Amino acid sequence: MSCGVALSIALMVSNPAVAQAAAQPPAAGAPVSVAGEPLFADIIARSTELKTLIDGWAASRAADADGFFAGPVFTDFKTRAEALSQLDMQGHLILKERGTDGDLKCILRGISEDIPKKVAAVQAAPSAAERAVALSELSYLLNDNVEVITAPPQPEV
C-alpha cells in the first residue's frame, strides 16, 4: 500500500470532516478560501473556543490558583488543545495532498507543532508574571489559527 493511500485512509477514519475536506477538488485558477470547508470551519470554531477560555483565565488569574493544572478544567483544555493540534496537522496534510496552498499548509503545520509547546509553557511557568506571558502567547497562537484560515487567499507569486 502506498504512503498516500495509507495516509488518506487514516485521515478519513479519524474525523468525518477530514474525509469531506480531502474529497474537495483542487482549485483551478484563482485561489479559493478553505474557511467554509467543514474541517477548517471546525478548526476555526475550536480555536475560538479555546482562545476564549485562555483569555478568561488571563483576566481572572484562574491559572494562578493552587491545583489549577491538576484540575478537570485544565485537563479538559489540554485534551481539546491536543485535538486541535491534530486537526491543524490534518489540514496541513490535506492541503499538501491538494497542492493548492503552500503558505497556509506550512502555517497549519507550524501551529500544530506549537500548540502543545505553548500549553506546556503555560503549565511550566514558574511565576504568575511568566504564566501571564505564556497565556498571552497561547491566546495569540489560537487567534492566529483563526486568522490564517479566514484571511482571503492570495495568488502565488
Side-chain angles (χ1 to χ4, degrees), residues 75-89:
T75 302
D76 178 62
F77 172 81
K78 280 181 68 170
T79 300
R80 293 171 62 194
E82 179 59 33
L84 174 61
S85 174
Q86 292 173 4
L87 286 177
D88 279 314
M89 184 56 74

Side-chain angles (χ1 to χ4, degrees), residues 7-43:
L7 175 62
S8 296
I9 292 169
L11 289 174
M12 285 184 212
V13 298
S14 63
N15 184 330
V18 173
Q20 187 172 0
Q24 298 291 322
V32 177
S33 174
V34 296
E37 294 179 23
L39 172 70
F40 298 98
D42 191 21
I43 291 171

Side-chain angles (χ1 to χ4, degrees), residues 96-116:
K96 182 178 178 182
E97 182 74 21
R98 288 183 194 172
T100 58
D101 190 331
D103 288 343
L104 180 57
K105 104 179 149 198
C106 292
I107 293 168
L108 289 176
R109 180 181 178 140
I111 290 172
S112 173
E113 293 169 352
D114 285 348
I115 288 173

Side-chain angles (χ1 to χ4, degrees), residues 5-150:
V5 172
L7 175 62
S8 296
I9 292 169
L11 289 174
M12 285 184 212
V13 298
S14 63
N15 184 330
V18 173
Q20 187 172 0
Q24 298 291 322
V32 177
S33 174
V34 296
E37 294 179 23
L39 172 70
F40 298 98
D42 191 21
I43 291 171
I44 292 167
R46 289 175 188 230
S47 292
T48 301
E49 290 171 9
L50 294 179
K51 181 183 182 315
T52 299
L53 282 174
I54 290 292
D55 292 345
W57 296 344
S60 69
R61 300 179 55 101
D64 295 336
D66 287 338
F68 177 79
F69 296 110
V73 172
F74 188 74
T75 302
D76 178 62
F77 172 81
K78 280 181 68 170
T79 300
R80 293 171 62 194
E82 179 59 33
L84 174 61
S85 174
Q86 292 173 4
L87 286 177
D88 279 314
M89 184 56 74
Q90 289 175 345
H92 159 78
L93 293 171
I94 287 168
L95 293 176
K96 182 178 178 182
E97 182 74 21
R98 288 183 194 172
T100 58
D101 190 331
D103 288 343
L104 180 57
K105 104 179 149 198
C106 292
I107 293 168
L108 289 176
R109 180 181 178 140
I111 290 172
S112 173
E113 293 169 352
D114 285 348
I115 288 173
K117 293 175 187 174
K118 297 295 184 187
V119 171
V122 168
Q123 192 169 5
S127 70
E130 290 173 281
R131 192 170 303 106
V133 170
L135 285 167
S136 175
E137 289 176 357
L138 181 54
S139 176
Y140 180 81
L141 181 66
L142 293 168
N143 186 64
D144 195 34
N145 204 14
V146 171
E147 289 184 354
V148 298
I149 294 171
T150 59

